[in-house]
Structure formats: C-alpha cells, structure tokens
Amino acid sequence: MLGATVAALGVVAAINAIVDPFQQYRLASRHAPRFYALHHRWINPGIAKHATYETALIGSSIMESTRNDAIAAACGGPAVNLSMPAISAMEIRTMLETVFDARHPRRAIVALDFNAFSGTPDERQESAGPLPAYLYDRAVLNDLPYLLSGTVLRKSFSILSGRGGDSFTTDPDAPWYWADSMRFGQAEVLRGLDLGNLNAHFQQPPRTLAGMRASFEHNILPIMRAHPETRFDLVWPPYSILVWVDFAQRAQLDATLAFKRYVASAVQGMQNVDVVDLQAHDEITGNLDLYMDIYHFAPQVNRWMVERACSGLDRVDSTGADASERRLREQLRAWRPPAPRASQ
C-alpha cells in the first residue's frame, strides 16, 4: 500500500511538473498559456523567473490592465507586468526579491498604494488569499505543495484535454488584463455609493504614519539600496478625487499626505530612485468617466502612467511633494458632488 501510494504521488508530481500549468519551471510553449484570474500569486513568480524583460512593473489591481507592450514602448526594451490584486508591501518586497534573483532589470516601476502599507510590515490583506511563498525562491525541494496539489492536477488535466474551467486569459502580453470586461463612467463609479460615507462601500483599513513608515523602511528601502544598478520609479497613481474625499471623511488625509512627504524625503539622496507623483492631475482624477470605481481607472490611464514615468515627467523631491500636496488639497476643497446626468 505504501509503495502504491508513493507511486501514485510520483505520477501526480510528474504530470504537474511536465504540464506545469502555473509556469513555475518554464513558460508555456507546448500549449497556450493560461493565466488564471484566481491564481496571480501562483503564476507571477514563474513569469518573473522565466520571462525576458528589462522593465518590471509591480502594483495592485489598478495596474493589471497595463499591457507589457505598452510598458516596453514607453520605457524601451522588453517588459513584464507582475501586478497582483490587493498587493501588500511585503508582497512587493517578495516579488522584487524574486525578480532580482532571476534577472537584473534595468528599471522597476512600483506603483505605491497607501493600503499596501497598512498594518504591520509583514501584514497582508485577507481578501488577497494565501501567498505560496515556496514558489518565490529557487529551491525545488520545497515545491511539493505545488507538485502534489489536486488543484494543480485538475488544471493539468484541463490543459491536456483542452477543456476550460476557471476563468483565465491566454495572452502573455496582457496576462492580467481585465478592462475589456468592465464598464467605465461616472454612473458606474457612483453606483451604490453613499457620498457622505464612502468607506461604507469600500471598507478600507485605517492606517498610521508610523506604521506606513515602518513598512516602507522594512519592505521597499532595502531592495532599492541593494540594487543601485536598477532605476526605480516609485509612482503615486491617480486615484479619483473621491478617494481623497474618503480619506478626509475617515480622518486619514493628513497621515496619508505626511507619508508621501516622508517617502520623497527618504529616497532623496538615492541616485537610482525617482518619485513620480500623478495624484494632482485634476484632468484625470476629476474625470470620473475614466474610472470604474473610485480607485480603478481605464487602460488609457495605465498607458499614460508608464509613459510619464519613463519620460521623466512628474518627478518630485521633498519640495515638489509639498507643491503637489498643496494642489491636491486645493482640488479637494473645491470638490462638489457630481450633478446627476440625464439618462440617455
């Protein structure tokens, strides 16, 4: 019985290793790749290890609809998007460590989400699901949870039989692209919102300046210091103005803006790091037709972001951060609830 069990497990491991549905040992070539929407955290480390790229983009779900070719066109050379939904600062560090263990990228674009720095430095958001940390290193002996997984085996059989199953895409140039399945516009953004209590819908966690600083110092600063040969663009993404209204409603505005000033000051002496602040561009943030909700914007905004980052625009030091903050506060003071539009 023991021998039969070992043999059966060996067969499972062999099938999963050969088919490799999450591309941990090689990029898919004998079959069309499958990028499962529920398995970013299982697939991205394999992409980071085996793809060819000079620029790596890492961010949360707001960055997923950035196509690799758009990054490459803006920044030069091949590029890869390694973003994940509800990414934490710890996961940014883990993803960057995997990138640098496998490649020596010329550039790393890191989109900074404030919520990624909530909680303790190693804290993750529960909504993100588990992180298979064993897939992010080069050790093979600890891969047994992947090789013996029933979930992975079902994916392997689905690929071998040509069946579908869980939602997936097959375009390696846009593995996590979701914008084509969503609707954008002011009506979508405002649907179901209580403008007097925005957090009733989004339920974002509270943050403290001390906690965010500790997380940045633990997760982001050491990576940038360890790789002076790589250009890092730390990008503040253009949330809609309603995000800032929410921060003000929850008494999070001052701590959030203080954290931005801190980041600009913390990296000011680092020759390989730039801070790119896109949050005071009212032509973007004030146009709710460019959003599907208060956070997530349309793919043309994703392209605009990487183009500005790689063109050297909107870079700020500590002085520029102060000026950007003043503009943002002025926009927030001038904000008024959008007037209802007549139905078409």
Side-chain angles (χ1 to χ4, degrees):
M1 184 178 295
L2 178 60
T5 300
V6 171
L9 292 176
V11 171
V12 170
I15 292 172
N16 284 339
I18 293 170
V19 180
D20 194 15
F22 294 163
Q23 304 181 73
Q24 289 307 301
Y25 306 119
R26 69 198 72 83
L27 296 182
S29 59
R30 289 175 290 186
H31 57 80
R34 294 188 177 190
F35 303 99
Y36 294 93
L38 296 177
H39 293 94
H40 292 68
R41 287 165 169 78
W42 280 260
I43 298 173
N44 266 347
I47 297 175
K49 293 173 187 176
H50 305 300
T52 299
Y53 54 92
E54 296 176 13
T55 298
L57 169 67
I58 298 175
S60 68
S61 57
I62 63 174
M63 302 307 299
E64 289 176 319
S65 289
T66 314
R67 296 179 62 90
N68 293 343
D69 57 7
I71 307 169
C75 306
V80 67
N81 186 347
L82 299 170
S83 298
M84 300 188 292
I87 198 169
S88 67
M90 181 274 282
E91 290 176 317
I92 293 174
R93 182 193 78 220
T94 301
M95 194 77 259
L96 283 170
E97 288 172 345
T98 302
V99 163
F100 283 107
D101 190 44
R103 297 284 183 270
H104 298 283
R106 181 171 48 84
R107 191 175 216 126
I109 303 174
V110 181
L112 299 177
D113 273 303
F114 298 112
N115 291 325
F117 297 92
S118 62
T120 63
D122 286 326
E123 191 166 330
R124 301 176 59 248
Q125 297 188 43
E126 290 184 10
S127 62
L131 178 73
Y134 58 89
L135 293 178
Y136 288 77
D137 59 32
R138 285 194 169 276
V140 177
L141 294 180
N142 65 357
D143 286 358
L144 285 179
Y146 173 69
L147 294 173
L148 299 179
S149 167
T151 298
V152 176
L153 184 63
R154 287 193 294 273
K155 297 289 191 298
S156 294
F157 280 142
S158 293
I159 290 172
L160 291 172
S161 64
R163 297 197 310 267
D166 295 337
S167 175
F168 61 85
T169 65
T170 59
D171 184 357
D173 191 51
W176 309 122
Y177 196 94
W178 48 256
D180 54 355
S181 62
M182 298 297 176
R183 297 178 62 181
F184 297 86
Q186 178 175 294
E188 293 299 315
V189 175
L190 299 179
R191 192 184 307 278
L193 285 188
D194 177 359
L195 291 178
N197 182 14
L198 290 166
N199 201 45
H201 182 78
F202 285 94
Q203 295 292 313
Q204 297 293 356
R207 294 172 278 104
T208 66
L209 176 59
M212 288 188 287
R213 287 184 57 161
S215 184
F216 186 82
E217 290 165 3
H218 178 72
N219 292 301
I220 309 301
L221 273 178
I223 295 287
M224 298 187 299
R225 287 172 176 158
H227 298 281
E229 74 285 355
T230 296
R231 166 64 53 189
F232 288 86
D233 294 292
L234 303 181
V235 181
W236 294 116
Y239 304 132
S240 80
I241 189 65
L242 290 176
V243 170
W244 300 96
V245 174
D246 172 48
F247 289 168
Q249 289 175 351
R250 294 190 286 127
Q252 294 273 278
L253 181 64
D254 290 339
T256 299
L257 294 174
F259 180 57
K260 289 184 66 175
R261 294 195 301 271
Y262 156 75
V263 169
S265 176
V267 305
Q268 188 148 340
M270 302 176 68
Q271 298 300 310
N272 64 320
V273 182
D274 285 308
V275 177
V276 181
D277 191 348
L278 303 174
Q279 296 185 327
H281 276 273
D282 187 51
E283 76 279 10
I284 302 293
T285 62
N287 182 3
L288 295 183
D289 287 332
L290 292 173
Y291 295 80
M292 58 164 280
D293 59 30
I294 69 175
Y295 284 97
H296 295 81
F297 32 72
Q300 60 263 38
V301 179
N302 293 72
R303 290 195 303 272
W304 175 82
M305 288 177 64
V306 296
E307 286 168 359
R308 296 191 79 83
C310 288
S311 298
L313 300 173
D314 297 293
R315 292 178 178 173
V316 297
D317 55 15
S318 55
T319 301
D322 290 341
S324 177
E325 177 179 332
R326 286 193 297 272
R327 293 196 306 274
L328 190 53
R329 286 185 182 274
E330 289 169 1
Q331 292 164 12
L332 186 56
R333 283 193 294 269
W335 178 81
R336 298 293 181 272
R341 293 177 179 172
S343 58
Q344 299 295 322

